[in-house]
Amino acid sequence: MAVIEMRNITKRFGSVVANNCINFSLERGEIHALLGENGAGKTTLMRILYGLYHADQGEILVDDRPVHIASPREAIALGIGMVSQHFTLVPPLSVAENVVLGYIKGLRFDPTAAHRQVAEAASRYSIEIDPTMLVRHLSVGERQRVEILKALYRNARVLILDEPTSVLTPQEANALFESLERLRKAGLSVIFISHKLNEVMAICDRITVLRQGRVIGTAAKDSITPAELARMMVSQSSQETLRREQSPRGEVCLALKGVSALDKKGLPALKNINLEVRSGEILGIAGVSGNGQTELAEVLFGTLKPSSGQIILDGKDLQGADPDQFLNAGIGRIPEDRHQAILGELTVAENMVLERLDEFTQHGLLDYQQVRAYSERLIAEYQIKALPTDRMRTLSGGNIQKVILARVLSRQPRVIVASQPTRGLDVGATEYVRSKLLEQRERGVAVLLISEDLDEVLALSDRIAVMYEGQIVGTLRTEEATLEQLGMMMAGSWKPSEEDAG
């Protein structure tokens, strides 16, 4: 019996048809994957189910009974929970306070009881988190865990997970899968949105593929292959294989010498980092999440001050420089959380010029005609599905990343620091971002690629440096690296190298 059934769901935003007569069903006790490129209509469909959007036509049935879901509160009352890609946490509050927020019975709040109850829930669902920690002190991955725990804490019968593993380590993802499997056996139904086909094949029972707002097909996992799913998800033009041609490396553009730094908790995050990135090469940084990669990017963005060491760009020491000085020195920044790199309420055009406002300002006023013309050119060049006047918050993840790419690359940086540049993106957007990084490499730019996707690191990098507990434990040329060797280095089973190899 279907616990959820969506019939002929259609949703329009102006002239754009986001969902076109979609039929979707979720059985009791199943994990049903929803796949498709960004902009295919997956999130819109789920927001309709959760009461955030209202369909223009169609109907929703819960337990074979027609319902009208006008708000998330009504969805929750029906036993439907949703974990969005965009965090809805209150940073000044603790983990426990965020989890129980809006779910407290009575007028009094007992923090001790809340901490105990949330700790028990976290243990039950195998989610490692400290209930007493303030959310503002948590990493991106830890915040995602709180969002998942918050939904599970409410004992939802139907759980919508939108890219739940995009910021989790492999170990955390496995723990989540184990929890979902236990919950599924107990009768929980899960809608699992993911761009990772291996995850879908590992955890899901059925798979529905959306493309351009329509259902392309639904199949049982055992009746379809990952290759067939990929062909259903993307157009032929998106399936071209990236080719990384060998080319000679140039001079050292960026060098880190003995760089150490503390994290937000005051603990050592980077320990004596020595790295060199040359023009015309991609140096990949591999490692399990939480081993200093985030802090390494922040140091190179100028948002985290090193406690010691030198950061040298083209012979100039940037130690102590602020973010604007790093930017003006020629470092292009692609942060791991793309939503922190934009202002959602501003337009696409305004976001395009955020890092170079002085160039579009006359007599203290922004020249909007010049900004619009500039953004129209970049929108066309980077194939962004948006208008200059669209609010950034209305764009899909892939198009937001394209806006960030356009903003960064249009400045023709000497060095690009790309942190998790394809996290949470669909197949087509992922290939696009990777191709742009390779184009920059061919242009002679030095690229530092920080990624937890080992396949991505191997596909793009000329050399690979592995981080473990804030240290570089080894650097290898990609053609010499083996998965076994990299795995040992990432697990800490490798003696740190005396100096950078290659």
Side-chain angles (χ1 to χ4, degrees):
M1 175 182 173
V3 62
I4 296 290
E5 192 170 357
M6 305 181 78
R7 297 176 178 172
N8 299 315
I9 298 295
T10 297
K11 178 64 177 176
R12 299 179 181 86
F13 295 98
S15 61
V16 177
V17 182
N19 292 153
N20 194 341
C21 294
I22 289 181
N23 292 295
F24 176 84
S25 67
L26 178 68
E27 301 295 325
R28 189 178 307 280
E30 83 162 340
I31 301 178
H32 193 145
L34 195 58
L35 296 180
E37 292 191 276
N38 282 333
K42 309 181 302 300
T43 299
T44 297
L45 185 67
M46 291 302 99
R47 286 182 174 179
I48 290 171
L49 179 58
Y50 193 57
L52 291 169
Y53 292 159
H54 303 139
D56 297 322
Q57 67 182 57
E59 63 175 344
I60 299 173
L61 285 75
V62 176
D63 295 331
D64 214 26
R65 177 172 58 89
V67 297
H68 176 71
I69 304 175
S71 69
R73 182 178 293 274
E74 293 182 12
I76 292 169
L78 290 167
I80 301 170
M82 182 173 183
V83 178
S84 174
Q85 289 187 61
H86 313 314
F87 304 147
T88 57
L89 303 174
V90 183
L93 299 184
S94 71
V95 169
E97 289 166 338
N98 269 276
V99 170
V100 304
L101 189 65
Y103 200 66
I104 301 171
K105 297 178 181 179
L107 299 177
R108 298 184 62 186
F109 172 66
D110 184 345
T112 302
H115 289 157
R116 184 183 67 252
Q117 292 164 4
V118 171
E120 291 171 355
S123 175
R124 183 163 65 251
Y125 299 125
S126 301
I127 296 176
E128 186 177 341
I129 199 75
D130 181 355
T132 65
M133 285 287 294
L134 297 182
V135 165
R136 68 167 176 258
H137 294 153
L138 300 181
S139 68
V140 175
E142 289 169 328
R143 294 186 188 201
Q144 179 68 58
R145 277 178 256 166
V146 177
E147 287 282 15
I148 293 171
L149 179 59
K150 188 170 70 174
L152 294 176
Y153 184 81
R154 286 157 170 75
N155 298 315
R157 296 184 302 122
V158 173
L159 186 60
I160 304 165
L161 298 178
D162 193 353
E163 298 286 351
T165 67
S166 62
V167 291
L168 299 182
T169 66
Q171 294 91 337
E172 291 167 338
N174 289 335
L176 172 65
F177 293 164
E178 291 171 4
S179 296
L180 291 178
E181 183 61 26
R182 289 195 299 269
L183 293 166
R184 184 185 67 80
K185 289 179 179 178
L188 182 77
S189 303
V190 179
I191 301 172
F192 190 93
I193 301 175
S194 175
H195 299 304
K196 300 177 181 178
L197 298 182
N198 59 326
E199 288 184 354
V200 168
M201 299 303 287
I203 193 69
C204 297
D205 302 297
R206 284 194 299 158
I207 302 159
T208 291
V209 179
L210 298 185
R211 191 170 72 211
Q212 296 180 343
R214 294 178 179 271
V215 172
I216 300 301
T218 298
K221 175 185 66 177
D222 295 337
S223 68
I224 198 165
T225 67
E228 290 170 330
L229 286 173
R231 284 194 291 271
M232 292 170 70
M233 286 170 61
V234 301
S235 61
Q236 187 65 37
S237 61
S238 298
Q239 298 180 31
E240 297 177 0
T241 302
L242 288 171
R243 290 192 296 272
R244 180 175 54 83
E245 303 292 344
Q246 293 294 329
S247 61
R249 293 183 291 156
E251 297 298 318
V252 173
C253 281
L254 177 67
L256 279 70
K257 299 183 178 181
V259 172
S260 298
L262 303 177
D263 64 16
K264 294 176 182 177
K265 303 172 188 176
L267 301 174
L270 300 178
K271 306 170 186 175
N272 194 36
I273 297 291
N274 292 288
L275 281 178
E276 289 185 350
V277 193
R278 296 176 178 269
S279 64
E281 82 160 344
I282 297 178
L283 174 63
I285 302 292
V288 177
S289 176
N291 278 281
Q293 300 98 314
T294 296
E295 289 78 10
L296 177 61
E298 290 174 347
V299 162
L300 292 172
F301 294 162
T303 56
L304 177 63
K305 302 296 182 185
S307 53
S308 62
Q310 293 178 293
I311 303 171
I312 300 173
L313 177 61
D314 289 332
K316 180 182 178 182
D317 191 352
L318 295 177
Q319 171 70 331
D322 61 30
D324 284 342
Q325 290 171 317
F326 272 83
L327 188 68
N328 293 330
I331 291 184
R333 307 173 296 197
I334 303 176
E336 66 177 79
D337 186 348
R338 65 183 67 95
H339 293 94
Q340 290 187 354
I342 63 162
L343 294 177
E345 292 302 319
L346 296 186
T347 66
V348 171
E350 289 165 338
N351 273 272
M352 287 281 196
V353 300
L354 276 181
E355 294 183 345
R356 53 200 312 179
L357 288 174
D358 56 329
E359 299 177 32
F360 294 88
T361 302
Q362 294 184 6
H363 309 297
L365 297 175
L366 200 61
D367 186 338
Y368 280 97
Q369 185 174 353
Q370 187 182 4
V371 169
R372 183 184 179 95
Y374 175 76
S375 65
E376 286 175 342
R377 178 172 65 81
L378 291 184
I379 285 170
E381 182 179 345
Y382 287 84
Q383 304 169 28
I384 299 167
K385 295 179 181 178
L387 297 172
T389 54
D390 287 345
R391 300 290 176 188
M392 278 294 294
R393 59 178 169 77
T394 66
L395 272 60
S396 67
N399 283 305
I400 288 174
Q401 195 73 331
K402 285 183 178 182
V403 170
I404 295 171
L405 275 175
R407 187 173 70 198
V408 170
L409 302 187
S410 64
R411 292 178 62 94
Q412 297 188 328
R414 288 280 292 137
V415 175
I416 294 172
V417 180
S419 183
Q420 319 300 341
T422 63
R423 173 181 281 167
L425 299 185
D426 59 67
V427 175
T430 293
E431 294 300 293
Y432 183 86
V433 171
R434 291 176 180 178
S435 70
K436 285 297 182 183
L437 292 178
L438 287 174
E439 281 182 15
Q440 293 301 303
R441 171 184 177 272
E442 294 303 310
R443 196 173 67 81
V445 174
V447 180
L448 184 69
L449 169 67
I450 303 172
S451 177
E452 291 157 24
D453 185 339
L454 192 54
D455 290 337
E456 178 168 79
V457 171
L458 286 165
L460 298 182
S461 305
D462 297 285
R463 292 185 299 138
I464 301 172
V466 179
M467 291 192 72
Y468 178 73
E469 293 188 345
Q471 294 179 294
I472 300 294
V473 296
T475 305
L476 302 168
R477 293 199 64 79
T478 302
E479 61 268 22
E480 299 170 352
T482 66
L483 287 174
E484 180 183 7
Q485 191 175 26
L486 291 171
M488 290 175 64
M489 294 165 74
M490 291 169 66
S493 302
W494 193 269
K495 184 179 179 180
S497 58
E498 293 298 324
E499 60 183 51
D500 198 33

